[in-house]
Amino acid sequence: MSAKLSLIGCGPGAADLLTIRASRRIGEADLVLFDRLVEPDVLELASPLAEKRYVGKGCGDGGRQQADINCILKEALRDGRHVVRLKSGDPMVFGRAAEEVAIAVELEAEIEIVPGVTAALAAAAENAITVTERMELQSFVVTTGKSADPNKDPDWSNLVKPGVCVAFYMSVAQAWRIQTALMAKGVPGHIATDWIENSGRPNARRVTSRLDRLALDARKQGVSNPAILFIRYPLSAAAGQLSAQQAEQA
Ligand code: SAH
């Protein structure tokens, strides 16, 4: 038997949001590696003969845990197994897929990547939030609250611009930093913000606020991970901002 790595996008949780290809591959695996964000009913698709291994990853020491996962993966591929690595959402969106693919390349294992519904789009669909809108939102951007270097935030104020909807992953702990960075660059405090917590699960919740109350409302409402933050800056909000400034100057 030849070694194979299948990186499978499992979507936001519910098994019926898996692709047909994803559910087939899960059924074919010898070893299934999964983490905290993968729901139990997805695991039920694996053969009773397959080994299922929890490989952790909550918040915090992601570096060490990723090293452990890499190690397990290497060992299994060396043994010629078919490893199915389950990833929440889509493997190519904040999924650390590059490291796991590099291991398979190094070991000359076959690689297959199966796309999944990424959390932002699952959350958007569930809550009827359009991420593009013909007259108001021309661009859709995904970013993260958490970068590899904790002292270097992504350049959020260059992303949140008139006509853009931005989805923030891993951003709950950074609400205050995001709010202040954007307001310092003149993004209007009244634009709407939405947290979507636990999208696709029975405990899904939407917390709507506005930019100038983002951190306060997140704290008051106890927003917690996993959650996506949407900041939509419609063109008309920017036009309104401009005419208010002009009226003030006149
Ligand atoms: N590859 C995943 C993202 C993994 S990073 C994807 O494409 O969706 C982990 C982050 O994804 C979390 O911090 C959160 O921002 C988001 N996330 C994952 N599952 C979620 C869910 N069910 N509801 C809301 N956000 C979720």
Side-chain angles (χ1 to χ4, degrees):
M1 199 176 46
S2 61
K4 177 170 174 180
L5 170 63
S6 299
L7 285 182
I8 309 282
C10 290
D16 60 355
L17 272 180
L18 287 176
T19 62
I20 293 169
R21 189 180 299 173
S23 54
R24 277 195 192 131
R25 267 338 152 259
I26 296 170
E28 290 163 6
D30 297 325
L31 170 62
V32 181
L33 302 180
F34 64 100
D35 59 38
R36 187 180 55 95
L37 290 172
V38 172
E39 296 290 299
D41 51 350
V42 173
L43 288 175
E44 280 167 19
L45 297 167
S47 147
L49 300 175
E51 182 188 350
K52 298 170 200 90
R53 213 150 150 183
Y54 176 72
V55 288
K57 275 230 269 192
C59 285
D61 196 7
R64 195 192 62 78
Q65 276 159 345
Q66 186 66 46
D68 290 347
I69 296 168
N70 295 352
C71 199
I72 295 168
L73 193 58
K74 265 186 197 161
E75 207 171 281
L77 292 177
R78 277 203 194 106
D79 290 345
R81 300 174 84 183
H82 179 189
V83 183
V84 164
R85 169 74 165 110
L86 303 182
K87 299 266 187 187
S88 75
D90 186 279
M92 311 313 255
V93 181
F94 302 124
R96 306 215 30 185
E99 290 169 49
E100 297 176 21
V101 166
I103 291 170
V105 170
E106 189 190 312
L107 298 177
E108 295 178 9
E110 189 187 335
I111 302 165
E112 177 189 35
I113 298 167
V114 181
V117 182
T118 193
L121 294 177
E126 198 175 41
N127 292 278
I129 294 172
T130 53
V131 297
T132 62
E133 231 168 79
R134 216 162 78 81
M135 304 301 283
E136 292 283 14
L137 297 166
Q138 302 140 329
S139 307
F140 170 53
V141 169
V142 296
T143 187
T144 174
K146 211 168 77 181
S147 37
D149 177 351
N151 299 313
K152 226 182 195 173
D153 288 334
D155 192 1
W156 299 310
S157 56
N158 249 323
L159 305 175
V160 179
K161 291 187 166 164
V164 183
C165 166
V166 181
F168 292 77
Y169 288 65
M170 296 171 276
S171 55
V172 177
Q174 275 73 30
W176 175 246
R177 297 236 296 273
I178 294 169
Q179 175 181 337
T180 49
L182 298 184
M183 293 190 67
K185 282 287 170 91
V187 180
H190 64 80
I191 64 168
T193 62
D194 283 286
W195 296 99
I196 312 296
E197 216 181 59
N198 287 303
S199 171
R201 300 178 181 168
N203 56 344
R205 179 168 74 132
R206 176 176 185 171
V207 175
T208 298
S209 178
R210 39 186 277 164
L211 183 60
D212 56 5
R213 296 179 51 92
L214 177 71
L216 180 70
D217 284 344
R219 207 180 55 235
K220 272 173 60 182
Q221 304 278 336
V223 173
S224 62
N225 274 313
I228 289 284
L229 167 65
F230 284 108
I231 300 187
R232 298 159 87 241
Y233 191 171
L235 287 172
S236 57
Q241 170 95 338
L242 206 60
S243 42
Q245 276 168 6
Q246 283 160 348
E248 225 166 74
Q249 282 160 10

